[in-house]
């Protein structure tokens, strides 16, 4: 143990991947587990994207790519941002990375000095606080409960700002809550940030296309803050391409250059073949994206109706992404024989071991009163999972 750096010792293991692994281990023992832990689309990557990858292999895209990504891909992303988001970024303002995850980590490492504060509206994705810690920064968690649809208000943001604040993270649609900030809510946040010109925004828009309320809004669309916003997005969720590992940032040129330097020493440009596939995804027909969005919308309706039938679950109406985040603390203190449920993690483990449904406890997302269900799985499985959840929880007295 003594050999491991303090930096790595202080990091938590990714709870999403940990629960998914546990679920996989049980399944390998022959248990029929329904995995609603990790968040990744259950669809296959669209055919036209796969064909582009095969073609790239045949055309010998086998050398290092430029560190920030192929110019043709950066142009495709620039066109996507203009076409879909009304945002104008030159290809030079775009850096392609190994997933949105690396794009976020690059931005944090390039902006945050030791001691700087990063405001994390919470519940938030498990990796944000750990990335901030990696940079030596201080996560400042601003909690929004289910009573406010898990979204922070402008006054909460204002109150969290100190002279040490460097970055605010915004994730909409949100993992783990599915909440979506409306244009008006973002306008109010932009108004606060207008007066704090030393603060940058990392806007994680990886669930942009899995949105059930119509159009997507980005803080980058508000002139008060636009030149201080780093847009994060990628192909993992919209095109069912989690394993291809392509994400990007779009932002101020000086920051993109800094991240280019960082990435050049750390990972180099990401996979050449996956970049060509992503280029096809952005440039090609977008029907598959819409088809998947519609399927997720139907599943959302199903899972919300099933969760409302579970005694003791309090649920919001998620407007995007593919997560449900019920408040479940009414079960804390209850028992099944010798087994006592004292936390969301106990409940998640109980549901896995007894009900054979894998979820993720809310503590790693900053909400110890909730558990997360990913509904990126078929309607039959969602229905069966909730039958099991209901039956299993009924045993707790
Ligand atoms: N941000 C959020 C909120 C996510 O849920 C994910 C999913 N892992 C990511 C970023 C990273 O996505 P990617 O697979 O592109 O690294
Ligand atoms: N974003 C997904 C999730 O939260 C994938 C796993 C991860 O990267 O944490 O489950």
């Amino acid at each position: 143990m003594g050999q491991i750096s303090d930096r790595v010792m202080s990091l938590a293991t990714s709870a999403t991947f940990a629960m998914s692994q546990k679920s996989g281990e049980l399944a390998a023992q022959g248990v029929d587990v329904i995995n609603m832990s990790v968040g990744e689309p259950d669809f296959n990557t669209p055919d036209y994207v796969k064909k582009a990858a095969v073609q790239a292999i045949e055309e010998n895209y086998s050398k290092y790519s430029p560190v920030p990504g192929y110019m043709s891909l950066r142009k495709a992303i620039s066109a996507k941002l203009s076409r879909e988001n009304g945002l104008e970024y030159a290809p030079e303002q775009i850096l392609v990375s190994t997933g949105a995850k690396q794009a976020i980590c690059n931005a944090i490492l390039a902006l945050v000095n030791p001691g700087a504060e990063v405001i994390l509206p919470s519940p938030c994705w498990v990796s944000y606080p750990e990335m901030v810690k990696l940079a030596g920064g201080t996560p400042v968690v601003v909690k929004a409960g289910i009573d406010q649809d898990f979204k922070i208000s402008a006054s909460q943001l204002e109150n969290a700002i100190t002279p040490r604040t460097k970055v605010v993270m915004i994730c909409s649609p949100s993992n783990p809550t599915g909440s979506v900030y409306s244009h008006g809510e973002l306008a109010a946040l932009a108004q606060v940030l207008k007066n704090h010109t030393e603060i940058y925004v990392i806007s994680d828009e990886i669930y942009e296309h899995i949105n059930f309320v119509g159009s997507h809004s980005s803080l980058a669309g508000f002139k008060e803050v636009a030149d201080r916003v780093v847009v994060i997005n990628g192909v993992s969720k919209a095109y069912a391409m989690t394993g291809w590992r392509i994400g990007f940032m779009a932002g101020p040129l000086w920051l993109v250059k800094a991240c280019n330097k960082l990435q050049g020493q750390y990972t180099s440009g990401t996979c050449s073949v996956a970049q060509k596939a992503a280029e096809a995804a952005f440039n090609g027909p977008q029907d598959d994206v819409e088809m998947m969005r519609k399927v997720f919308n139907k599943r959302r309706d199903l899972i919300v109706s099933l969760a409302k039938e579970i005694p003791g679950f309090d649920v919001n109406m998620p407007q995007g992404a593919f997560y449900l985040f019920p408040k479940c603390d009414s079960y804390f203190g209850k028992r099944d024989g010798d087994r006592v449920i004292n936390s969301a993690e106990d409940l998640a483990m109980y549901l896995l071991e007894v009900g054979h449904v894998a979820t993720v406890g809310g503590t790693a997302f900053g909400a110890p009163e909730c558990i997360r269900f990913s509904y990126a799985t078929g309607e039959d499985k969602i229905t069966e999972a909730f039958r099991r959840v209901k039956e299993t929880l009924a045993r707790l007295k």
Side-chain angles (χ1 to χ4, degrees):
M1 278 313 220
Q3 299 94 308
I4 306 291
S5 68
D6 296 345
R7 185 183 306 108
V8 173
M9 283 302 287
S10 74
L11 293 186
T13 300
S14 168
T16 51
F17 284 130
M19 274 311 268
S20 186
Q21 192 182 327
K22 279 213 174 70
S23 155
E25 282 163 10
L26 266 190
Q29 291 164 24
V31 179
D32 164 31
V33 181
I34 300 179
N35 187 358
M36 301 183 82
S37 60
V38 80
E40 64 175 338
D42 52 321
F43 299 99
N44 291 324
T45 299
D47 281 340
Y48 72 95
V49 176
K50 292 196 279 196
K51 283 201 183 102
V54 171
Q55 193 183 336
I57 292 171
E58 281 169 356
E59 288 176 1
N60 294 307
Y61 277 88
S62 50
K63 305 279 198 302
Y64 290 128
S65 80
V67 172
Y70 291 120
M71 185 44 91
S72 55
L73 172 55
R74 297 160 84 200
K75 281 186 176 159
I77 294 169
S78 166
K80 170 254 179 294
L81 289 166
S82 175
R83 181 179 70 236
E84 294 182 347
N85 309 102
L87 301 173
E88 300 307 325
Y89 288 97
E92 292 72 22
Q93 289 178 272
I94 290 158
L95 180 80
V96 178
S97 299
T98 305
K101 199 173 231 171
Q102 189 189 12
I104 298 166
C105 205
N106 278 343
I108 291 175
L109 288 171
L111 284 170
V112 175
N113 272 325
E117 293 178 354
V118 177
I119 294 179
L120 300 177
S122 170
C124 70
W125 183 39
V126 295
S127 293
Y128 297 157
E130 305 311 307
M131 289 174 178
V132 173
K133 285 197 261 168
L134 202 56
T138 308
V140 175
V141 169
V142 179
K143 180 91 191 249
I146 196 166
D147 51 314
Q148 51 189 102
D149 193 21
F150 300 114
K151 291 184 279 191
I152 65 160
S153 64
S155 59
Q156 280 183 293
L157 175 60
E158 181 79 69
N159 291 338
I161 291 173
T162 78
R164 289 177 300 285
T165 307
K166 186 66 187 272
V167 173
V168 179
M169 285 282 329
I170 296 290
C171 180
S172 177
S174 156
N175 178 4
T177 64
S179 302
V180 174
Y181 283 86
S182 68
H183 189 81
E185 287 162 343
L186 290 178
L189 299 182
Q191 207 49 41
V192 171
L193 294 167
K194 180 184 174 185
N195 304 321
H196 297 278
T197 52
E198 68 295 350
I199 297 179
Y200 294 86
V201 176
I202 300 178
S203 177
D204 184 347
E205 303 177 22
I206 192 75
Y207 295 99
E208 168 190 7
H209 285 293
I210 307 171
N211 184 330
F212 317 130
V213 285
S215 67
H216 170 74
S217 293
S218 167
L219 266 178
F222 293 85
K223 61 179 183 328
E224 297 89 336
V225 282
D227 59 350
R228 290 179 281 128
V229 176
V230 188
V231 173
I232 305 287
N233 209 329
V235 294
S236 290
K237 315 289 168 168
Y239 301 92
M241 292 176 70
T242 44
W244 297 75
R245 311 306 303 129
I246 300 284
F248 68 83
M249 71 161 61
L253 190 56
W254 55 267
L255 180 64
V256 169
K257 280 186 175 166
C259 292
N260 188 5
K261 180 169 76 170
L262 178 64
Q263 187 163 295
Q265 291 290 21
Y266 196 22
T267 55
S268 312
T270 189
C271 170
S272 54
V273 173
Q275 286 190 55
K276 294 307 284 181
E279 189 182 317
F282 288 124
N283 286 340
Q286 303 297 303
D287 314 291
D288 290 290
V289 177
E290 179 57 11
M291 178 277 290
M292 291 187 267
R293 191 194 67 77
K294 283 199 177 117
V295 173
F296 283 126
N297 198 342
K298 264 187 84 193
R299 292 174 181 173
R300 188 279 308 262
D301 293 345
L302 174 66
I303 196 170
V304 167
S305 71
L306 293 171
K308 281 188 170 159
E309 284 172 23
I310 308 277
F313 270 16
D314 192 4
V315 289
N316 68 331
M317 181 51 116
Q319 295 179 325
F322 37 62
Y323 304 106
L324 186 69
F325 203 53
K327 185 167 179 290
C328 59
D329 53 354
S330 60
Y331 285 98
F332 299 175
K334 295 199 174 178
R335 57 174 67 231
D336 175 0
D338 287 342
R339 189 165 187 158
V340 187
I341 305 299
N342 284 318
S343 64
E345 287 59 48
D346 287 353
L347 195 68
M349 205 48 82
Y350 180 68
L351 287 175
L352 177 61
E353 289 172 0
V354 179
H356 300 156
V357 176
T359 60
V360 186
T363 306
F365 300 97
E369 72 282 13
C370 296
I371 53 171
R372 190 188 80 172
F373 291 84
S374 160
Y375 56 87
T377 190
E379 287 187 34
D380 291 356
K381 285 199 174 154
I382 294 170
T383 305
E384 169 59 11
F386 271 75
R387 192 195 61 73
R388 294 182 191 182
V389 168
K390 195 170 186 179
E391 188 179 277
T392 310
L393 292 180
R395 297 164 60 150
L396 291 172
K397 301 289 175 225

